[in-house]
Amino acid sequence: ATPHGRDNRVVTDAIALSGGRYKGIANVDESFGDRELRDLSEAGIEGCRFTFLPRLGQMPDMRVFDQIIERISPLGWHVDLYLPASLIPEFRPRLMQLPVPYVLDHMGVVDASLGLEQPAFAALLDLVRDDEKCWVKVTCPERISRAGPPFHDVAPFGRALIETAPDRVLWGTDWPHPNVPLMPDDGDLVDLVPLYAPDPALQRKLLVDNPTRLFRFRD
């Protein structure tokens, strides 16, 4: 989580205690040497994360971004991007050229009240459709919903993403839900799964098969 800064031990310790059941994402920057990145990889880290939130002043130095992407590529990592869908037209050329898989967080934090035809969501669907390196997390309905709990107004967005790329969509809770306008009931988040993916086979892709591939679980 962001409050831990670049200290990834809370993740690597959990992975070690899990006996191989967990994998993780690290927060890294240009201060990390190649040996440190390899150590993280050996500890069960499978990717790193960057945040693109202009409203919070959290835009990465793109020179550093490019350097880190080049250095993680030999490790087989993916990159996790908290990138609003409204920025996809600006970043699409760079994303299409990335040498590693990338995951877009929280359905691009679109505004559910603007509907499925809104330009930001259309740009997200187009990118997922056009780039097989692009994955999406069907997470954080509490950030997208305008109707509030149980967030059913978000279900059509998750369903559209799953229908577009059923093999490249992931589900998650975003627990412990930092910086949210409304603390969600995790039961409501679980209950959305069959609304996103009514077919049990799609549910298995969303919850089991896709994360198993992306995070390279061998067993």
Side-chain angles (χ1 to χ4, degrees):
T2 303
H4 292 282
R6 300 294 183 267
D7 184 347
N8 295 288
R9 287 175 296 177
V10 69
V11 179
T12 55
D13 287 354
I15 294 171
L17 290 169
S18 79
R21 296 194 307 274
Y22 297 167
K23 294 292 187 88
I25 297 295
N27 286 322
V28 303
D29 59 23
E30 68 274 22
S31 70
F32 282 66
D34 290 340
R35 178 67 261 178
E36 291 173 285
L37 294 176
R38 288 196 300 272
D39 288 345
L40 287 171
S41 186
E42 291 168 5
I45 295 296
E46 291 290 341
C48 60
R49 189 172 195 254
F50 288 89
T51 298
F52 294 75
L53 290 180
R55 63 183 173 81
L56 298 180
Q58 295 182 353
M59 293 294 287
D61 181 328
M62 297 311 295
R63 176 187 57 83
V64 172
F65 176 85
D66 290 339
Q67 288 177 356
I68 291 177
I69 294 297
E70 183 178 351
R71 292 171 62 206
I72 69 170
S73 181
L75 299 173
W77 285 10
H78 64 270
V79 61
D80 187 281
L81 305 176
Y82 192 177
L83 179 112
S86 59
L87 295 180
I88 286 176
E90 176 183 350
F91 283 96
R92 178 183 168 113
R94 185 184 291 268
L95 296 174
M96 294 285 290
Q97 293 175 8
L98 286 177
V100 298
Y102 57 97
V103 183
L104 300 178
D105 275 347
H106 312 329
M107 294 182 268
V109 285
V110 295
D111 181 340
S113 69
L114 299 180
L116 295 175
E117 303 303 321
Q118 62 181 286
F121 192 65
L124 175 58
L125 287 180
D126 285 345
L127 182 61
V128 173
R129 186 181 297 113
D130 295 344
D131 191 356
E132 293 190 356
K133 302 188 310 297
C134 179
W135 297 60
V136 182
K137 287 183 188 172
V138 181
T139 50
C140 271
E142 65 273 16
R143 297 185 189 273
I144 298 167
S145 174
R146 296 298 178 267
F151 313 118
H152 285 182
D153 57 326
V154 176
F157 294 86
R159 194 158 52 245
L161 286 165
I162 293 168
E163 289 172 354
T164 300
D167 295 320
R168 288 181 279 117
V169 181
L170 312 167
W171 181 83
T173 64
D174 201 45
W175 185 90
H177 314 296
N179 303 318
V180 291
L182 172 70
M183 185 58 64
D185 181 325
D186 290 298
D188 287 340
L189 306 184
V190 174
D191 288 344
L192 282 169
V193 170
L195 301 184
Y196 295 146
D199 184 342
L202 286 178
Q203 292 175 22
R204 180 176 176 84
K205 285 178 180 286
L206 184 67
L207 299 171
V208 181
D209 296 340
N210 295 350
T212 295
R213 286 190 0 261
L214 182 65
F215 283 86
R216 301 189 299 176
F217 281 95
R218 292 187 178 89
D219 186 353

